[in-house]
Amino acid sequence: MAQVSLNSIRKVYPNGFEAVTPSSFDIKDGEFVVLVGPSGCGKSTLLRMIAGLEDITSGDLHIAGRQVNHVDPADRDIAMVFQNYALYPHMTVRRNIGYGLKNRKTPKAEIDRKVEEAAALLNLSDYLDRKPSQLSGGQRQRVAMGRAIVRDPALFLFDEPLSNLDAKLRNQMRIEIKALQKRLGVTSIYVTHDQVEAMTMADRIVVLNAGRIEQIGTPSEIYHSPASTFVASFMGAPPMNLVQAQFQDGAVRLPCGTAVLDAPTSRRGPITLGIRPEDVRLGQGQTAFDVHLVEELGAHRLLHGQIAGQPFTAHVVKDTIASPGAHVVDLPRAALALFDTQTGARL
Amino acid sequence: MLKRSKLSAILDHAILILGALFMLVPLLMVLQITTMPDVEVIKHGPSFQIGDQFDDNLKKAMLEASGFSGENTGVNMLKNSFVLGIGFAVGKIVIGMMAAYAIVYFRLKFATLAFWVIFTTLLLPLEVRILPSYEIVQRLGMLNTYQGLIVPLIASATATFFFRQFFRSVPEELIEAARIDGAGPIKFFVDILVPLSQTMIAAMFIIMFVYGWNQYLWPTMITTEEGMFTLVRGIKQITQVMEGNRIPEYGRANVLAIIAIIPPVFVVIFFQSWFVKGLTESDK
């Protein structure tokens, strides 16, 4: 177990592209931190710098109190699970899991014992003498996990480990990984572009965009009080509704003129309003909502349409009957988030 | 419809049989000659007659020397050919793999340039540089040695190129996983890259062994001692021997020709099963 600390970590590629702007955060012992963001946001680069697979341009990286900027990946006391499993195809499961130990000159008997232990933990005992090509995707993923846990590392790194699995298996592995991590208590950093994975697995989420940290917080903080329009629109499915509005005559008004919030008369200019689809009250208030499409999801329905000419989605429970056409909705004040239209930052 | 397909079946088979005959007849002629006394051969040429001289010819070919020193027996030439074929193939594979490893996996400043320089040597086969190569080998005192036979031939652009292409297709993640698992460059090469390349190695071995086995010009230049002759060059020597009124030993030369064909055939058959297995069982 280890505390990880990033201090102004920055990555600039030789061609001048700044993949990660100076970023700092700390990870506590045993914490499960998820780095999430769209592709190209620098989350994998950040993870690879922590792993030592990518050079750190500037800044300090500490793992368990030791500065490891220039330490070889093998000596950082980390283990990594890769997106495509990266199992050695010509080795049996047993040798795959034990390879790292063998390279560290662990005695043969101890390797065997540890491999058996890890295999038992991951339900792989029956497959130890198979080759990776004879295993299913989920089993391969478990072997990759086994390779990580057998070494007892101070830190687990996961690079989109579930993106190659089908949806059902992904849900199951998500729970397994989380449970395993809690049981072993190993500090973990997990990279994903899937906000559902981030929400369900993380103790804390780091949202990245264009090489910059947008927000760090618990899943509930990130969901309920997004720090920017980017976080608001990236986290949550469907995402938060963002509607352009104006400060006018002592109120925040939608383009159609409806006042949704009081404001000091002195304020003028544009503003972006945010509201989660499930906070919208259908059939109350006086904001006109033109529904184009009803998405039936069993437990609930999503109404897609427009408010004041801007795309808008409302979430209603299954008992609420709704059909395409003109409706009214109420946007409760407590649920509204205000963002600066220019910078996207929360006000 | 039935008639037509029958006709086309006959036509197809006719083409195939013709092709097979085209390939087989020369071999059968060689076989036939090995059974005849040399006098008959020089009188009538190849015929349909099967003689009783095969045992004699085989014994002569394998155990009796044809030259002056008594060292170029068939057995000895076969040994030399094996040394050349295997040395050539193994050397080319080892050097090609190591060169490709350096080019693909290490951040060398001029890796691409180096690769293309190696690649352009394909345009300079042995025949083009045979005089300087000979001079170097001679000055190093490697005439009439196995090293002299093998070493100047084993730097291979072909093998380097094929291994480079193959290494580039090995997923990056595998290298990274190995790095985290604590495998250094040599361990990664030996533990991971070489086993992964098995099928490539088998394919290269087939090609290079046959290529080395069939070398003619270089062994002819570099070996003047009869004890160093390879089969391919030794056969020529036998038919050339025309001292006084002696008849060329056709039977003996043709036995050697048959023997010279067999090892490459076996190498192809043996490694082919590996090769095909590797192609179909893609587990990279």
Side-chain angles (χ1 to χ4, degrees):
Chain A
M1 281 194 273
Q3 189 200 352
V4 180
S5 141
L6 286 75
N7 191 1
S8 301
I9 296 283
R10 177 165 185 251
K11 177 72 189 180
V12 182
Y13 281 108
N15 62 8
F17 175 68
E18 189 177 30
V20 177
T21 58
S23 303
S24 306
F25 58 91
D26 289 325
I27 299 169
K28 293 194 288 281
D29 250 6
E31 201 177 12
F32 196 113
V33 168
V34 174
L35 308 181
V36 67
S39 43
C41 71
K43 57 189 189 297
S44 284
T45 311
L46 198 54
L47 188 80
R48 293 164 56 80
M49 285 195 284
I50 298 171
L53 298 170
E54 204 84 66
D55 290 335
I56 297 169
T57 308
S58 65
D60 277 327
L61 173 66
H62 287 83
I63 299 177
R66 180 169 67 121
Q67 205 217 29
V68 293
N69 279 38
H70 302 289
V71 175
D72 197 71
D75 302 326
R76 288 191 183 191
D77 204 7
I78 52 163
M80 186 156 171
V81 177
F82 292 88
Q83 180 173 2
N84 298 312
Y85 324 127
L87 302 178
Y88 311 120
H90 57 290
M91 295 186 192
T92 58
V93 170
R94 189 187 301 275
R95 285 188 60 209
N96 256 295
I97 297 177
Y99 186 63
L101 292 175
K102 194 180 136 224
N103 286 340
R104 283 174 176 73
K105 311 240 175 347
T106 315
K108 179 100 182 35
E110 201 185 331
I111 296 180
D112 286 345
R113 187 178 55 77
K114 284 190 165 173
V115 170
E116 302 276 351
E117 248 176 52
L121 194 66
L122 294 160
N123 290 325
L124 283 169
S125 302
D126 296 341
Y127 304 103
L128 278 174
D129 294 311
R130 295 209 192 167
K131 294 268 181 75
S133 56
Q134 295 163 300
L135 300 177
S136 69
Q139 287 166 339
R140 287 182 206 186
Q141 192 57 66
R142 284 210 200 93
V143 177
M145 301 268 302
R147 198 165 59 177
I149 62 179
V150 78
R151 295 218 331 258
D152 254 332
L155 176 64
F156 273 164
L157 303 173
F158 298 90
D159 190 3
E160 310 212 12
L162 303 183
S163 52
N164 278 358
L165 302 177
D166 62 59
K168 198 174 160 204
L169 200 55
R170 202 180 309 157
N171 290 344
Q172 188 194 330
M173 288 299 292
R174 207 163 69 196
I175 297 162
E176 275 184 35
I177 292 178
K178 177 74 179 169
L180 192 70
Q181 191 267 341
K182 280 281 157 272
R183 203 155 119 207
L184 300 172
V186 180
T187 315
S188 303
I189 305 176
Y190 187 107
V191 160
T192 181
H193 62 266
D194 181 350
Q195 54 91 20
V196 179
E197 265 173 39
M199 293 292 290
T200 52
M201 298 176 83
D203 292 329
R204 250 182 339 146
I205 296 177
V206 177
V207 185
L208 289 143
N209 181 32
R212 215 159 45 79
I213 295 178
E214 290 273 341
Q215 190 174 6
I216 303 177
T218 64
S220 128
E221 279 166 13
I222 299 270
Y223 189 79
H224 293 292
S225 38
S228 65
T229 48
F230 173 80
V231 178
S233 60
F234 189 75
M235 302 300 287
M240 186 181 255
N241 291 302
L242 294 173
V243 180
Q244 302 307 319
Q246 294 281 337
F247 280 111
Q248 217 172 34
D249 309 330
V252 174
R253 287 176 197 279
L254 295 173
C256 56
T258 317
V260 289
L261 206 61
D262 298 327
T265 7
S266 54
R267 286 214 57 170
R268 310 223 137 257
I271 180 111
T272 301
L273 279 177
I275 185 164
R276 290 277 172 201
E278 64 273 20
D279 291 331
V280 176
R281 301 262 169 279
L282 188 73
Q284 303 171 22
Q286 59 262 301
T287 310
F289 177 34
D290 195 11
V291 177
H292 298 157
L293 182 78
V294 178
E295 202 179 346
E296 176 68 58
L297 292 166
H300 57 267
R301 290 191 182 89
L302 293 178
L303 312 182
H304 299 286
Q306 285 189 327
I307 277 184
Q310 299 173 55
F312 196 85
T313 300
H315 171 293
V316 296
V317 291
K318 61 183 174 190
D319 301 327
T320 312
I321 309 293
S323 53
H327 291 269
V328 287
V329 289
D330 180 35
L331 312 176
R333 269 142 219 239
L336 283 174
L338 297 178
F339 299 96
D340 186 306
T341 303
Q342 299 247 287
T343 63
R346 177 141 193 187
L347 297 175
Chain B
M1 195 65 206
L2 194 83
K3 224 176 179 177
R4 207 160 132 205
S5 73
K6 217 175 184 177
L7 197 76
S8 80
I10 290 170
L11 193 73
D12 290 351
H13 279 84
I15 293 171
L16 289 174
I17 288 166
L18 260 173
L21 283 180
F22 186 73
M23 303 296 286
L24 279 175
V25 164
L27 273 177
L28 292 175
M29 273 163 62
V30 169
L31 257 178
Q32 190 264 331
I33 290 171
T34 61
T35 65
M36 300 297 286
D38 296 335
V39 185
E40 291 294 311
V41 177
I42 206 158
K43 266 205 270 182
H44 306 295
S47 63
F48 288 105
Q49 199 187 344
I50 300 210
D52 55 359
Q53 297 292 305
F54 184 74
D55 285 0
D56 273 8
N57 279 332
L58 183 66
K59 253 184 233 146
K60 253 204 290 183
M62 295 311 285
L63 302 173
E64 269 177 40
S66 68
F68 308 102
S69 64
E71 274 168 3
N72 61 339
T73 58
V75 175
N76 202 10
M77 289 194 286
L78 192 65
K79 188 189 90 191
N80 290 339
S81 276
F82 266 111
V83 171
L84 175 61
I86 291 171
F88 185 84
V90 170
K92 280 203 174 218
I93 288 168
V94 169
I95 289 190
M97 269 186 102
M98 293 202 300
Y101 185 52
I103 289 169
V104 175
Y105 289 108
F106 292 87
R107 252 178 262 151
L108 305 173
K109 227 176 182 173
F110 300 110
T112 319
L113 181 74
F115 172 72
W116 287 109
V117 168
I118 292 172
F119 200 72
T120 48
T121 61
L122 276 181
L123 301 173
L124 299 170
L126 179 75
E127 288 75 9
V128 177
R129 55 183 167 87
I130 199 148
L131 287 178
S133 296
Y134 183 86
E135 170 139 19
I136 291 168
V137 170
Q138 187 263 325
R139 283 196 191 175
L140 290 172
M142 296 204 296
L143 293 180
N144 287 309
T145 61
Y146 288 135
Q147 302 90 286
L149 263 181
I150 295 166
V151 173
L153 300 177
I154 57 175
S156 170
T158 326
T160 308
F161 175 72
F162 277 110
F163 280 114
R164 171 187 179 257
Q165 297 308 98
F166 177 75
F167 289 167
R168 281 161 69 112
S169 75
V170 172
E172 188 87 0
E173 284 192 344
L174 222 50
I175 300 144
E176 290 172 349
R179 276 183 75 186
I180 291 178
D181 268 344
I186 294 173
K187 254 197 185 129
F188 174 69
F189 186 67
V190 173
D191 283 354
I192 299 184
L193 219 46
V194 172
L196 277 181
S197 315
Q198 260 183 26
T199 56
M200 270 306 281
I201 293 173
M204 280 289 122
F205 190 84
I206 295 180
I207 298 168
M208 296 305 176
F209 178 82
V210 175
Y211 187 31
W213 181 272
N214 288 334
Q215 281 295 315
Y216 178 69
L217 183 61
W218 185 247
T220 308
M221 297 217 27
I222 220 78
T223 60
T224 47
E225 276 172 27
E226 291 172 339
M228 292 302 295
F229 283 8
T230 61
L231 270 177
V232 178
R233 113 147 258 206
I235 296 166
K236 174 80 170 49
Q237 195 74 8
I238 289 171
T239 50
Q240 236 172 16
V241 175
M242 284 269 241
E243 312 162 43
N245 55 358
R246 265 183 63 186
I247 298 164
E249 297 175 276
Y250 287 122
R252 188 171 168 178
N254 281 302
V255 169
L256 285 180
I258 296 276
I259 286 167
I261 291 168
I262 292 170
V265 169
F266 271 102
V267 164
V268 170
I269 291 171
F270 177 71
F271 278 98
Q272 201 187 28
S273 59
W274 264 41
F275 187 49
V276 172
K277 194 176 134 211
L279 285 181
T280 47
E281 238 176 57
S282 103
D283 52 7
K284 195 174 32 175

